[in-house]
Amino acid sequence: MIEFKNVSLTYPNGHQGLKNVNLKINDGEFIVVVGLSGAGKSTLIRSINQLVKPTEGELIIDGVDTLKLNDRKLKDTRKNIGMIFQSYNLVKRMSVLRNVLTGSLGRTNTLKSMLGLFSKEDINLAMTSLARVGIEDKAYRRADQLSGGQQQRVSIARALTQQPKVILADEPVASLDPPTSHVVMKDLKKINKEDGITTLINLHFIDMAMEYADRIIGMREGEVVFDGPASEVSEKT
Ligand code: ADP
Ligand code: ADP
């Protein structure tokens, strides 16, 4: 479980990214975070793996306040958290397979894998992950030869190869056209249901959130202003 207890985050310039956030996120939930640009969605999601670090409160993951962890322990926590970005963040000139294999680095962490010599199991896992998002036939293509939607599915496969407990997706479909966005959202949902990976996704389209989310968290000016099932989202929120 992930629990935010009175979490606030003030950026160095004094801007408050999060204001007294309280949330409980249960294992296996599929949550979409919505809100206007600048509402704090990205800050909320990125604080879970401390890409940005809250300045107040407690952020408890599986019973441990992760804001108090030293760097080594924080690294262990991050191994269980896969991250997906709007801009895919692939190594453009590397093959799709190699990009996906980098997901297993955190998990295995052997010198061999650091040097790019992955084990058979790693490669099998990477290929299986690619198959799960339907692009195993692209394994030996250069990452930047793929379409945007395909690149985002590569980044999902990379996250899967990490065998995470949690997936954080920060505007994963913001650069994609609507049909491709649906493919990516369906992949994320399928993986959530099959593997029970807790999933948090930032979206700025409420209609897409309503279509896929089991639970919607609405943000405005750093505060959580809505938290409930999609069926409870009303006109006023
Ligand atoms: P969203 O994801 O909902 O668009 P963000 O979490 O990215 O919102 O940003 C929330 C607010 O915090 C915005 O006003 C943004 O400009 C501000 N912000 C984000 N990152 C920083 C930063 N590094 N320093 C100062 N302000 C920031
Ligand atoms: P992304 O889509 O990757 O979240 P953003 O434009 O929101 O891109 O932010 C890009 C970077 O700029 C992030 O590191 C964010 O923290 C930082 N940032 C965003 N808003 C501000 C701000 N008002 N002041 C300083 N840094 C900011």
Side-chain angles (χ1 to χ4, degrees):
M1 189 171 82
I2 301 171
E3 189 173 2
F4 285 74
K5 274 192 180 171
N6 304 315
V7 171
S8 295
L9 187 152
T10 307
Y11 281 110
N13 67 356
H15 185 89
Q16 266 204 298
L18 295 177
K19 297 175 189 166
N20 199 37
V21 170
N22 287 285
L23 285 174
K24 277 187 187 165
I25 296 160
N26 294 307
D27 291 347
E29 281 198 278
F30 191 83
I31 298 176
V32 175
V33 183
V34 296
L36 299 175
S37 178
K41 304 181 294 296
S42 181
T43 306
L44 182 81
I45 279 208
R46 289 173 187 222
S47 65
I48 293 172
N49 60 356
Q50 285 182 47
L51 287 184
V52 292
K53 188 171 177 173
T55 44
E56 279 172 66
E58 292 169 52
L59 209 164
I60 300 164
I61 302 182
D62 295 337
V64 176
D65 182 3
T66 55
L67 302 181
K68 295 207 173 77
L69 294 177
N70 62 30
D71 287 353
R72 196 175 52 81
K73 292 240 169 76
L74 177 61
K75 229 175 143 185
D76 289 338
T77 301
R78 283 180 171 157
K79 280 182 196 167
N80 294 317
I81 305 176
M83 184 90 202
I84 293 164
F85 298 93
Q86 174 178 349
S87 47
Y88 330 124
N89 289 24
L90 302 178
V91 183
K92 292 188 174 60
R93 303 171 70 85
M94 228 157 62
S95 73
V96 164
L97 179 61
R98 278 214 170 264
N99 269 284
V100 174
L101 279 164
T102 61
S104 63
L105 280 179
R107 195 170 40 77
T108 53
N109 222 2
T110 59
L111 181 60
K112 276 192 168 175
S113 59
M114 297 292 189
L115 296 170
L117 304 167
F118 292 92
S119 68
K120 227 186 174 87
E121 293 94 275
D122 287 335
I123 292 168
N124 286 341
L125 178 59
M127 289 303 288
T128 306
S129 302
L130 281 169
R132 293 188 66 193
V133 291
I135 48 168
E136 70 273 37
D137 60 321
K138 303 284 188 287
Y140 298 101
R141 297 277 290 276
R142 238 174 68 166
D144 60 1
Q145 292 175 339
L146 272 55
S147 70
Q150 290 166 342
Q151 289 192 48
Q152 194 57 296
R153 284 143 80 198
V154 174
S155 89
I156 295 171
R158 178 179 58 190
L160 272 179
T161 304
Q162 206 181 319
Q163 299 191 310
K165 291 187 192 160
V166 177
I167 286 183
L168 306 175
D170 194 359
E171 298 280 4
V173 302
S175 306
L176 304 175
D177 60 32
T180 312
S181 299
H182 285 289
V183 172
V184 166
M185 288 301 292
K186 284 193 179 119
D187 277 336
L188 287 168
K189 183 109 184 191
K190 182 184 76 164
I191 287 160
N192 164 263
K193 294 297 167 239
E194 288 175 358
D195 296 7
I197 300 174
T198 310
T199 306
L200 281 101
I201 304 173
N202 283 346
L203 293 179
H204 55 264
F205 295 120
I206 186 75
D207 50 346
M208 191 164 284
M210 304 264 282
E211 185 169 346
Y212 292 97
D214 295 334
R215 172 180 172 188
I216 291 181
I217 293 175
M219 300 209 56
R220 189 192 300 142
E221 293 176 8
E223 287 182 275
V224 172
V225 293
F226 177 87
D227 184 1
S231 57
E232 280 176 18
V233 176
S234 69
E235 290 301 314
K236 61 182 192 300
T237 47

